[in-house]
Amino acid sequence: MVENMRIESDVKLDFKDVLIRPKRSTLSSRKEVDLNRTYKFKHSGSEWTGVPIMAANMDGVGTVEMANALNQHNMFTCLVKNYEESDLGDILGLSQHFAVSTGTSENDFRRLTRIINSYPEIKFICIDVANGYSEKFGDYVADIRATFPNKTIIAGNVVTADMTQELILRGADIVKVGIGPGSVCTTRIQTGVGYPQLSAIIECSDAAHGLNAHIIADGGCTCPGDVAKAFGAGADFVMLGGMLAGHDEGGGEIKDNTVTFYGMSSKDAMEKHHGGVAEYRSSEGRTVKIPYKGSVKSTVLDLLGGLRSSCTYVGAPTLKQLSKCTTFIRVKTQYNQVYEKNI
């Protein structure tokens, strides 16, 4: 039976709709803040310690070179889906700090099986689709859990508490949250589907934590302050695409001091990886030129410095305590307009 159309009238918020309220603090310096977290994952039973910021599995971001660079800062990388086992030899020693990404086709499953059989020390699998609401996707997550019971599984994307819980019960350790907020994603424009990212993080993290599982806030962060807001809202990890694009480690041709960056559902991505856009679908991503930024190190240091500063403003000596110290203030339309102009 098909339900009738309904409207949810309660307020839903994006990063631009809030600021974090400062509080009295005993911290005297940013260097006192510990950004490392330790998590134990629900199904795999594995533990992980590091700075829970991730490079997205996007062309120009989720590369082997990026994984090596971010590992220097104890950060994480979800590799793009087109890597084969022969490409991974240089980073196997970083197995705690990268995930092999996969889609849900038979070819994807065969490729993933080859990689894991060749390198059983790999600990993380990222199952990534644009729409995590299909029954097929849930079944696939369950199949991967049954096939690789000791691996930590990341799965998404979804934006609601019910599907967060569903994917966890199907075998996901970490659920990826976000539909449409990314800088090169046009899903909201093409389909009218989405969910304001801050509210999605709040609702999905609450659902996941009730089951002793975790979430990734995926998309929508344009500056270090947005990353702080995501952690303040309850995210366990924050995944970045556009903020980490345009660097040497992402590869890509540098022309006129710019680098091409595109969404993984864009026409460019589908032509590169699938031979074009299928007749039954449309592109849900854009291609943009972004400034060439050099080494990713300077961006990472700016990001981590901003996040430490956020913690000092609210008196959180560790990243773990940031959400407990966070009070969000809704801001007026005038601030939103200035915010959007600046980004």
Side-chain angles (χ1 to χ4, degrees):
M1 179 179 177
V2 178
E3 295 183 2
N4 293 328
M5 181 278 294
R6 58 191 294 263
I7 296 176
E8 294 183 11
S9 57
D10 52 322
V11 175
K12 305 296 181 185
L13 302 170
D14 263 319
F15 295 129
K16 64 180 172 52
D17 299 318
V18 300
L19 290 170
I20 298 173
R21 180 177 180 171
K23 296 180 179 178
R24 187 184 297 272
S25 174
T26 60
L27 297 171
S28 59
S29 171
R30 294 173 180 85
K31 67 183 179 182
E32 297 178 27
V33 176
D34 183 5
L35 297 181
N36 287 283
R37 293 294 312 267
T38 296
Y39 298 124
K40 184 172 183 179
F41 299 115
K42 178 180 178 68
H43 297 290
S44 69
S46 297
E47 284 196 0
W48 178 88
T49 298
V51 177
I53 297 174
M54 295 176 157
N57 53 317
M58 302 174 70
D59 289 346
V61 181
T63 65
V64 166
E65 294 77 13
M66 186 68 75
N68 275 311
L70 294 188
N71 179 65
Q72 302 302 311
H73 304 275
N74 223 15
M75 293 162 61
F76 196 97
T77 300
C78 288
L79 298 174
V80 291
K81 296 177 186 177
N82 57 312
Y83 278 122
E84 294 287 349
E85 62 268 32
S86 59
D87 302 315
L88 303 179
D90 292 341
I91 62 168
L92 290 175
L94 316 181
S95 60
Q96 280 279 15
H97 290 281
F98 75 87
V100 174
S101 298
T102 182
T104 58
S105 70
E106 292 183 6
N107 285 337
D108 289 323
F109 182 80
R110 285 193 289 267
R111 169 187 159 274
L112 177 64
T113 301
R114 287 196 308 270
I115 291 174
I116 299 299
N117 287 343
S118 297
Y119 302 118
E121 63 267 44
I122 290 174
K123 301 180 185 299
F124 290 84
I125 297 170
C126 178
I127 311 171
D128 176 67
V129 298
N131 176 12
Y133 283 81
S134 70
E135 284 292 321
K136 177 184 175 183
F137 183 67
D139 292 342
Y140 190 81
V141 171
D143 289 343
I144 296 297
R145 169 53 62 205
T147 306
F148 305 109
N150 298 321
K151 303 304 179 185
T152 299
I153 296 176
I154 301 166
N157 282 34
V158 298
V159 289
T160 53
D162 58 339
M163 279 307 297
T164 298
Q165 293 170 327
E166 177 72 13
L167 293 180
I168 292 166
L169 295 174
R170 291 291 192 103
D173 297 287
I174 312 169
V175 175
K176 206 143 68 78
V177 174
I179 292 179
S183 61
V184 287
C185 181
T186 60
T187 295
R188 295 177 182 180
I189 295 170
Q190 286 295 103
T191 69
V193 175
Y195 208 97
Q197 184 69 346
L198 187 80
S199 289
I201 295 166
I202 292 170
E203 295 171 27
C204 294
S205 64
D206 182 62
H209 296 164
L211 293 174
N212 295 317
H214 301 83
I215 71 155
I216 299 168
D218 177 18
C221 290
T222 61
C223 57
D226 289 342
V227 177
K229 292 173 186 178
F231 282 123
D236 302 293
F237 296 86
V238 175
M239 179 173 279
L240 304 177
M243 286 183 67
L244 295 178
H247 294 94
D248 294 329
E249 293 81 0
E253 181 183 0
I254 304 167
K255 187 174 182 181
D256 298 327
N257 213 36
T258 64
V259 178
T260 300
F261 178 52
Y262 49 82
M264 295 307 288
S265 291
S266 67
K267 180 180 178 182
D268 284 327
M270 285 190 279
E271 287 181 347
K272 178 178 180 179
H273 298 294
H274 306 290
V277 182
E279 290 184 357
Y280 57 83
R281 63 174 298 175
S282 67
S283 164
E284 292 179 25
R286 61 170 62 91
T287 298
V288 298
K289 296 286 187 181
I290 60 174
Y292 167 61
K293 304 172 187 175
S295 170
V296 76
K297 181 178 179 179
S298 60
T299 295
V300 168
L301 293 178
D302 182 62
L303 168 61
L304 299 183
L307 188 53
R308 288 191 186 94
S309 188
S310 299
C311 290
T312 64
Y313 271 109
V314 298
T318 66
L319 184 59
K320 180 179 181 179
Q321 292 172 277
L322 178 56
S323 63
K324 298 175 184 177
C325 297
T326 294
T327 299
F328 287 119
I329 305 168
R330 287 186 61 194
V331 295
K332 295 182 179 180
T333 304
Q334 183 179 5
Y335 170 78
N336 293 353
Q337 292 170 345
V338 172
Y339 180 98
E340 291 169 346
K341 181 179 179 181
N342 287 339
I343 64 173

mmCIF file with all atom_site columns, all heavy atoms in Angstrom, residues 200-222:
data_model
loop_
_atom_site.group_PDB
_atom_site.id
_atom_site.type_symbol
_atom_site.label_atom_id
_atom_site.label_alt_id
_atom_site.label_comp_id
_atom_site.label_asym_id
_atom_site.label_entity_id
_atom_site.label_seq_id
_atom_site.pdbx_PDB_ins_code
_atom_site.Cartn_x
_atom_site.Cartn_y
_atom_site.Cartn_z
_atom_site.occupancy
_atom_site.B_iso_or_equiv
_atom_site.pdbx_formal_charge
_atom_site.auth_seq_id
_atom_site.auth_comp_id
_atom_site.auth_asym_id
_atom_site.auth_atom_id
_atom_site.pdbx_PDB_model_num
ATOM 1   N N   . ALA A 1 200 ? 20.484 15.819 9.680  1.00 0.00 ? 200 ALA A N   1
ATOM 2   C CA  . ALA A 1 200 ? 20.706 14.409 9.354  1.00 0.00 ? 200 ALA A CA  1
ATOM 3   C C   . ALA A 1 200 ? 21.756 13.805 10.284 1.00 0.00 ? 200 ALA A C   1
ATOM 4   O O   . ALA A 1 200 ? 21.604 12.681 10.780 1.00 0.00 ? 200 ALA A O   1
ATOM 5   C CB  . ALA A 1 200 ? 21.140 14.265 7.899  1.00 0.00 ? 200 ALA A CB  1
ATOM 6   N N   . ILE A 1 201 ? 22.827 14.555 10.546 1.00 0.00 ? 201 ILE A N   1
ATOM 7   C CA  . ILE A 1 201 ? 23.881 14.064 11.441 1.00 0.00 ? 201 ILE A CA  1
ATOM 8   C C   . ILE A 1 201 ? 23.330 13.849 12.839 1.00 0.00 ? 201 ILE A C   1
ATOM 9   O O   . ILE A 1 201 ? 23.572 12.816 13.472 1.00 0.00 ? 201 ILE A O   1
ATOM 10  C CB  . ILE A 1 201 ? 25.056 15.059 11.473 1.00 0.00 ? 201 ILE A CB  1
ATOM 11  C CG1 . ILE A 1 201 ? 25.736 15.138 10.105 1.00 0.00 ? 201 ILE A CG1 1
ATOM 12  C CG2 . ILE A 1 201 ? 26.063 14.663 12.548 1.00 0.00 ? 201 ILE A CG2 1
ATOM 13  C CD1 . ILE A 1 201 ? 26.682 16.319 9.962  1.00 0.00 ? 201 ILE A CD1 1
ATOM 14  N N   . ILE A 1 202 ? 22.583 14.815 13.348 1.00 0.00 ? 202 ILE A N   1
ATOM 15  C CA  . ILE A 1 202 ? 22.027 14.716 14.708 1.00 0.00 ? 202 ILE A CA  1
ATOM 16  C C   . ILE A 1 202 ? 21.129 13.490 14.838 1.00 0.00 ? 202 ILE A C   1
ATOM 17  O O   . ILE A 1 202 ? 21.247 12.700 15.786 1.00 0.00 ? 202 ILE A O   1
ATOM 18  C CB  . ILE A 1 202 ? 21.252 15.993 15.060 1.00 0.00 ? 202 ILE A CB  1
ATOM 19  C CG1 . ILE A 1 202 ? 22.215 17.182 15.188 1.00 0.00 ? 202 ILE A CG1 1
ATOM 20  C CG2 . ILE A 1 202 ? 20.458 15.813 16.353 1.00 0.00 ? 202 ILE A CG2 1
ATOM 21  C CD1 . ILE A 1 202 ? 21.526 18.536 15.296 1.00 0.00 ? 202 ILE A CD1 1
ATOM 22  N N   . GLU A 1 203 ? 20.236 13.300 13.874 1.00 0.00 ? 203 GLU A N   1
ATOM 23  C CA  . GLU A 1 203 ? 19.277 12.205 13.958 1.00 0.00 ? 203 GLU A CA  1
ATOM 24  C C   . GLU A 1 203 ? 19.925 10.843 13.726 1.00 0.00 ? 203 GLU A C   1
ATOM 25  O O   . GLU A 1 203 ? 19.635 9.866  14.433 1.00 0.00 ? 203 GLU A O   1
ATOM 26  C CB  . GLU A 1 203 ? 18.145 12.450 12.962 1.00 0.00 ? 203 GLU A CB  1
ATOM 27  C CG  . GLU A 1 203 ? 17.329 13.695 13.310 1.00 0.00 ? 203 GLU A CG  1
ATOM 28  C CD  . GLU A 1 203 ? 16.337 14.088 12.224 1.00 0.00 ? 203 GLU A CD  1
ATOM 29  O OE1 . GLU A 1 203 ? 15.896 13.193 11.480 1.00 0.00 ? 203 GLU A OE1 1
ATOM 30  O OE2 . GLU A 1 203 ? 16.007 15.289 12.128 1.00 0.00 ? 203 GLU A OE2 1
ATOM 31  N N   . CYS A 1 204 ? 20.820 10.766 12.743 1.00 0.00 ? 204 CYS A N   1
ATOM 32  C CA  . CYS A 1 204 ? 21.437 9.477  12.416 1.00 0.00 ? 204 CYS A CA  1
ATOM 33  C C   . CYS A 1 204 ? 22.467 9.063  13.460 1.00 0.00 ? 204 CYS A C   1
ATOM 34  O O   . CYS A 1 204 ? 22.613 7.872  13.757 1.00 0.00 ? 204 CYS A O   1
ATOM 35  C CB  . CYS A 1 204 ? 22.077 9.531  11.034 1.00 0.00 ? 204 CYS A CB  1
ATOM 36  S SG  . CYS A 1 204 ? 20.878 9.725  9.692  1.00 0.00 ? 204 CYS A SG  1
ATOM 37  N N   . SER A 1 205 ? 23.190 10.024 14.014 1.00 0.00 ? 205 SER A N   1
ATOM 38  C CA  . SER A 1 205 ? 24.158 9.672  15.064 1.00 0.00 ? 205 SER A CA  1
ATOM 39  C C   . SER A 1 205 ? 23.439 9.145  16.300 1.00 0.00 ? 205 SER A C   1
ATOM 40  O O   . SER A 1 205 ? 23.890 8.176  16.923 1.00 0.00 ? 205 SER A O   1
ATOM 41  C CB  . SER A 1 205 ? 25.040 10.871 15.423 1.00 0.00 ? 205 SER A CB  1
ATOM 42  O OG  . SER A 1 205 ? 24.285 11.931 15.980 1.00 0.00 ? 205 SER A OG  1
ATOM 43  N N   . ASP A 1 206 ? 22.325 9.757  16.636 1.00 0.00 ? 206 ASP A N   1
ATOM 44  C CA  . ASP A 1 206 ? 21.551 9.282  17.780 1.00 0.00 ? 206 ASP A CA  1
ATOM 45  C C   . ASP A 1 206 ? 21.082 7.844  17.555 1.00 0.00 ? 206 ASP A C   1
ATOM 46  O O   . ASP A 1 206 ? 21.147 7.002  18.457 1.00 0.00 ? 206 ASP A O   1
ATOM 47  C CB  . ASP A 1 206 ? 20.359 10.210 18.007 1.00 0.00 ? 206 ASP A CB  1
ATOM 48  C CG  . ASP A 1 206 ? 19.526 9.809  19.221 1.00 0.00 ? 206 ASP A CG  1
ATOM 49  O OD1 . ASP A 1 206 ? 20.062 9.816  20.339 1.00 0.00 ? 206 ASP A OD1 1
ATOM 50  O OD2 . ASP A 1 206 ? 18.338 9.480  19.036 1.00 0.00 ? 206 ASP A OD2 1
ATOM 51  N N   . ALA A 1 207 ? 20.625 7.565  16.344 1.00 0.00 ? 207 ALA A N   1
ATOM 52  C CA  . ALA A 1 207 ? 20.166 6.210  16.025 1.00 0.00 ? 207 ALA A CA  1
ATOM 53  C C   . ALA A 1 207 ? 21.317 5.213  16.066 1.00 0.00 ? 207 ALA A C   1
ATOM 54  O O   . ALA A 1 207 ? 21.184 4.109  16.616 1.00 0.00 ? 207 ALA A O   1
ATOM 55  C CB  . ALA A 1 207 ? 19.507 6.202  14.645 1.00 0.00 ? 207 ALA A CB  1
ATOM 56  N N   . ALA A 1 208 ? 22.461 5.585  15.492 1.00 0.00 ? 208 ALA A N   1
ATOM 57  C CA  . ALA A 1 208 ? 23.605 4.675  15.452 1.00 0.00 ? 208 ALA A CA  1
ATOM 58  C C   . ALA A 1 208 ? 24.174 4.419  16.836 1.00 0.00 ? 208 ALA A C   1
ATOM 59  O O   . ALA A 1 208 ? 24.466 3.274  17.202 1.00 0.00 ? 208 ALA A O   1
ATOM 60  C CB  . ALA A 1 208 ? 24.691 5.242  14.534 1.00 0.00 ? 208 ALA A CB  1
ATOM 61  N N   . HIS A 1 209 ? 24.304 5.466  17.627 1.00 0.00 ? 209 HIS A N   1
ATOM 62  C CA  . HIS A 1 209 ? 24.904 5.307  18.956 1.00 0.00 ? 209 HIS A CA  1
ATOM 63  C C   . HIS A 1 209 ? 24.026 4.454  19.860 1.00 0.00 ? 209 HIS A C   1
ATOM 64  O O   . HIS A 1 209 ? 24.540 3.762  20.751 1.00 0.00 ? 209 HIS A O   1
ATOM 65  C CB  . HIS A 1 209 ? 25.154 6.677  19.571 1.00 0.00 ? 209 HIS A CB  1
ATOM 66  C CG  . HIS A 1 209 ? 26.157 7.497  18.801 1.00 0.00 ? 209 HIS A CG  1
ATOM 67  N ND1 . HIS A 1 209 ? 26.305 8.858  18.957 1.00 0.00 ? 209 HIS A ND1 1
ATOM 68  C CD2 . HIS A 1 209 ? 27.062 7.132  17.853 1.00 0.00 ? 209 HIS A CD2 1
ATOM 69  C CE1 . HIS A 1 209 ? 27.242 9.293  18.144 1.00 0.00 ? 209 HIS A CE1 1
ATOM 70  N NE2 . HIS A 1 209 ? 27.715 8.273  17.463 1.00 0.00 ? 209 HIS A NE2 1
ATOM 71  N N   . GLY A 1 210 ? 22.726 4.473  19.625 1.00 0.00 ? 210 GLY A N   1
ATOM 72  C CA  . GLY A 1 210 ? 21.838 3.606  20.396 1.00 0.00 ? 210 GLY A CA  1
ATOM 73  C C   . GLY A 1 210 ? 22.071 2.133  20.134 1.00 0.00 ? 210 GLY A C   1
ATOM 74  O O   . GLY A 1 210 ? 21.708 1.281  20.945 1.00 0.00 ? 210 GLY A O   1
ATOM 75  N N   . LEU A 1 211 ? 22.703 1.821  18.989 1.00 0.00 ? 211 LEU A N   1
ATOM 76  C CA  . LEU A 1 211 ? 23.026 0.438  18.635 1.00 0.00 ? 211 LEU A CA  1
ATOM 77  C C   . LEU A 1 211 ? 24.520 0.157  18.764 1.00 0.00 ? 211 LEU A C   1
ATOM 78  O O   . LEU A 1 211 ? 25.013 -0.851 18.246 1.00 0.00 ? 211 LEU A O   1
ATOM 79  C CB  . LEU A 1 211 ? 22.568 0.148  17.197 1.00 0.00 ? 211 LEU A CB  1
ATOM 80  C CG  . LEU A 1 211 ? 21.058 0.159  16.953 1.00 0.00 ? 211 LEU A CG  1
ATOM 81  C CD1 . LEU A 1 211 ? 20.753 0.016  15.463 1.00 0.00 ? 211 LEU A CD1 1
ATOM 82  C CD2 . LEU A 1 211 ? 20.379 -0.951 17.736 1.00 0.00 ? 211 LEU A CD2 1
ATOM 83  N N   . ASN A 1 212 ? 25.248 1.057  19.430 1.00 0.00 ? 212 ASN A N   1
ATOM 84  C CA  . ASN A 1 212 ? 26.706 0.915  19.603 1.00 0.00 ? 212 ASN A CA  1
ATOM 85  C C   . ASN A 1 212 ? 27.445 0.875  18.269 1.00 0.00 ? 212 ASN A C   1
ATOM 86  O O   . ASN A 1 212 ? 28.432 0.150  18.104 1.00 0.00 ? 212 ASN A O   1
ATOM 87  C CB  . ASN A 1 212 ? 27.042 -0.328 20.428 1.00 0.00 ? 212 ASN A CB  1
ATOM 88  C CG  . ASN A 1 212 ? 26.542 -0.242 21.845 1.00 0.00 ? 212 ASN A CG  1
ATOM 89  O OD1 . ASN A 1 212 ? 26.667 0.798  22.494 1.00 0.00 ? 212 ASN A OD1 1
ATOM 90  N ND2 . ASN A 1 212 ? 25.945 -1.324 22.341 1.00 0.00 ? 212 ASN A ND2 1
ATOM 91  N N   . ALA A 1 213 ? 26.950 1.675  17.317 1.00 0.00 ? 213 ALA A N   1
ATOM 92  C CA  . ALA A 1 213 ? 27.594 1.791  16.015 1.00 0.00 ? 213 ALA A CA  1
ATOM 93  C C   . ALA A 1 213 ? 27.963 3.256  15.765 1.00 0.00 ? 213 ALA A C   1
ATOM 94  O O   . ALA A 1 213 ? 27.825 4.098  16.651 1.00 0.00 ? 213 ALA A O   1
ATOM 95  C CB  . ALA A 1 213 ? 26.682 1.252  14.915 1.00 0.00 ? 213 ALA A CB  1
ATOM 96  N N   . HIS A 1 214 ? 28.422 3.562  14.552 1.00 0.00 ? 214 HIS A N   1
ATOM 97  C CA  . HIS A 1 214 ? 29.009 4.866  14.283 1.00 0.00 ? 214 HIS A CA  1
ATOM 98  C C   . HIS A 1 214 ? 28.523 5.419  12.946 1.00 0.00 ? 214 HIS A C   1
ATOM 99  O O   . HIS A 1 214 ? 27.991 4.679  12.117 1.00 0.00 ? 214 HIS A O   1
ATOM 100 C CB  . HIS A 1 214 ? 30.540 4.752  14.256 1.00 0.00 ? 214 HIS A CB  1
ATOM 101 C CG  . HIS A 1 214 ? 31.119 4.231  15.538 1.00 0.00 ? 214 HIS A CG  1
ATOM 102 N ND1 . HIS A 1 214 ? 31.184 2.890  15.829 1.00 0.00 ? 214 HIS A ND1 1
ATOM 103 C CD2 . HIS A 1 214 ? 31.634 4.891  16.615 1.00 0.00 ? 214 HIS A CD2 1
ATOM 104 C CE1 . HIS A 1 214 ? 31.728 2.729  17.041 1.00 0.00 ? 214 HIS A CE1 1
ATOM 105 N NE2 . HIS A 1 214 ? 32.000 3.923  17.531 1.00 0.00 ? 214 HIS A NE2 1
ATOM 106 N N   . ILE A 1 215 ? 28.708 6.741  12.755 1.00 0.00 ? 215 ILE A N   1
ATOM 107 C CA  . ILE A 1 215 ? 28.348 7.366  11.478 1.00 0.00 ? 215 ILE A CA  1
ATOM 108 C C   . ILE A 1 215 ? 29.487 8.237  10.960 1.00 0.00 ? 215 ILE A C   1
ATOM 109 O O   . ILE A 1 215 ? 30.353 8.693  11.715 1.00 0.00 ? 215 ILE A O   1
ATOM 110 C CB  . ILE A 1 215 ? 27.073 8.226  11.567 1.00 0.00 ? 215 ILE A CB  1
ATOM 111 C CG1 . ILE A 1 215 ? 27.327 9.517  12.368 1.00 0.00 ? 215 ILE A CG1 1
ATOM 112 C CG2 . ILE A 1 215 ? 25.899 7.440  12.122 1.00 0.00 ? 215 ILE A CG2 1
ATOM 113 C CD1 . ILE A 1 215 ? 26.389 10.648 12.029 1.00 0.00 ? 215 ILE A CD1 1
ATOM 114 N N   . ILE A 1 216 ? 29.440 8.469  9.655  1.00 0.00 ? 216 ILE A N   1
ATOM 115 C CA  . ILE A 1 216 ? 30.303 9.438  8.973  1.00 0.00 ? 216 ILE A CA  1
ATOM 116 C C   . ILE A 1 216 ? 29.419 10.552 8.451  1.00 0.00 ? 216 ILE A C   1
ATOM 117 O O   . ILE A 1 216 ? 28.422 10.287 7.774  1.00 0.00 ? 216 ILE A O   1
ATOM 118 C CB  . ILE A 1 216 ? 31.036 8.801  7.785  1.00 0.00 ? 216 ILE A CB  1
ATOM 119 C CG1 . ILE A 1 216 ? 31.939 7.657  8.240  1.00 0.00 ? 216 ILE A CG1 1
ATOM 120 C CG2 . ILE A 1 216 ? 31.843 9.848  7.019  1.00 0.00 ? 216 ILE A CG2 1
ATOM 121 C CD1 . ILE A 1 216 ? 32.459 6.813  7.084  1.00 0.00 ? 216 ILE A CD1 1
ATOM 122 N N   . ALA A 1 217 ? 29.766 11.802 8.757  1.00 0.00 ? 217 ALA A N   1
ATOM 123 C CA  . ALA A 1 217 ? 29.109 12.944 8.126  1.00 0.00 ? 217 ALA A CA  1
ATOM 124 C C   . ALA A 1 217 ? 29.781 13.164 6.779  1.00 0.00 ? 217 ALA A C   1
ATOM 125 O O   . ALA A 1 217 ? 30.942 13.566 6.721  1.00 0.00 ? 217 ALA A O   1
ATOM 126 C CB  . ALA A 1 217 ? 29.250 14.187 9.003  1.00 0.00 ? 217 ALA A CB  1
ATOM 127 N N   . ASP A 1 218 ? 29.071 12.876 5.705  1.00 0.00 ? 218 ASP A N   1
ATOM 128 C CA  . ASP A 1 218 ? 29.647 12.885 4.361  1.00 0.00 ? 218 ASP A CA  1
ATOM 129 C C   . ASP A 1 218 ? 29.051 14.015 3.533  1.00 0.00 ? 218 ASP A C   1
ATOM 130 O O   . ASP A 1 218 ? 27.928 13.912 3.048  1.00 0.00 ? 218 ASP A O   1
ATOM 131 C CB  . ASP A 1 218 ? 29.390 11.528 3.683  1.00 0.00 ? 218 ASP A CB  1
ATOM 132 C CG  . ASP A 1 218 ? 29.902 11.490 2.254  1.00 0.00 ? 218 ASP A CG  1
ATOM 133 O OD1 . ASP A 1 218 ? 30.742 12.343 1.887  1.00 0.00 ? 218 ASP A OD1 1
ATOM 134 O OD2 . ASP A 1 218 ? 29.469 10.599 1.494  1.00 0.00 ? 218 ASP A OD2 1
ATOM 135 N N   . GLY A 1 219 ? 29.816 15.090 3.378  1.00 0.00 ? 219 GLY A N   1
ATOM 136 C CA  . GLY A 1 219 ? 29.401 16.156 2.476  1.00 0.00 ? 219 GLY A CA  1
ATOM 137 C C   . GLY A 1 219 ? 28.943 17.411 3.179  1.00 0.00 ? 219 GLY A C   1
ATOM 138 O O   . GLY A 1 219 ? 28.451 17.377 4.310  1.00 0.00 ? 219 GLY A O   1
ATOM 139 N N   . GLY A 1 220 ? 29.120 18.536 2.496  1.00 0.00 ? 220 GLY A N   1
ATOM 140 C CA  . GLY A 1 220 ? 28.593 19.805 2.976  1.00 0.00 ? 220 GLY A CA  1
ATOM 141 C C   . GLY A 1 220 ? 29.581 20.667 3.728  1.00 0.00 ? 220 GLY A C   1
ATOM 142 O O   . GLY A 1 220 ? 29.294 21.834 4.002  1.00 0.00 ? 220 GLY A O   1
ATOM 143 N N   . CYS A 1 221 ? 30.746 20.138 4.091  1.00 0.00 ? 221 CYS A N   1
ATOM 144 C CA  . CYS A 1 221 ? 31.733 20.935 4.821  1.00 0.00 ? 221 CYS A CA  1
ATOM 145 C C   . CYS A 1 221 ? 32.565 21.755 3.836  1.00 0.00 ? 221 CYS A C   1
ATOM 146 O O   . CYS A 1 221 ? 33.181 21.199 2.918  1.00 0.00 ? 221 CYS A O   1
ATOM 147 C CB  . CYS A 1 221 ? 32.654 20.039 5.633  1.00 0.00 ? 221 CYS A CB  1
ATOM 148 S SG  . CYS A 1 221 ? 31.862 19.235 7.047  1.00 0.00 ? 221 CYS A SG  1
ATOM 149 N N   . THR A 1 222 ? 32.575 23.057 4.026  1.00 0.00 ? 222 THR A N   1
ATOM 150 C CA  . THR A 1 222 ? 33.315 23.950 3.138  1.00 0.00 ? 222 THR A CA  1
ATOM 151 C C   . THR A 1 222 ? 34.449 24.664 3.846  1.00 0.00 ? 222 THR A C   1
ATOM 152 O O   . THR A 1 222 ? 35.211 25.388 3.209  1.00 0.00 ? 222 THR A O   1
ATOM 153 C CB  . THR A 1 222 ? 32.374 25.007 2.535  1.00 0.00 ? 222 THR A CB  1
ATOM 154 O OG1 . THR A 1 222 ? 31.818 25.797 3.604  1.00 0.00 ? 222 THR A OG1 1
ATOM 155 C CG2 . THR A 1 222 ? 31.241 24.356 1.752  1.00 0.00 ? 222 THR A CG2 1
#
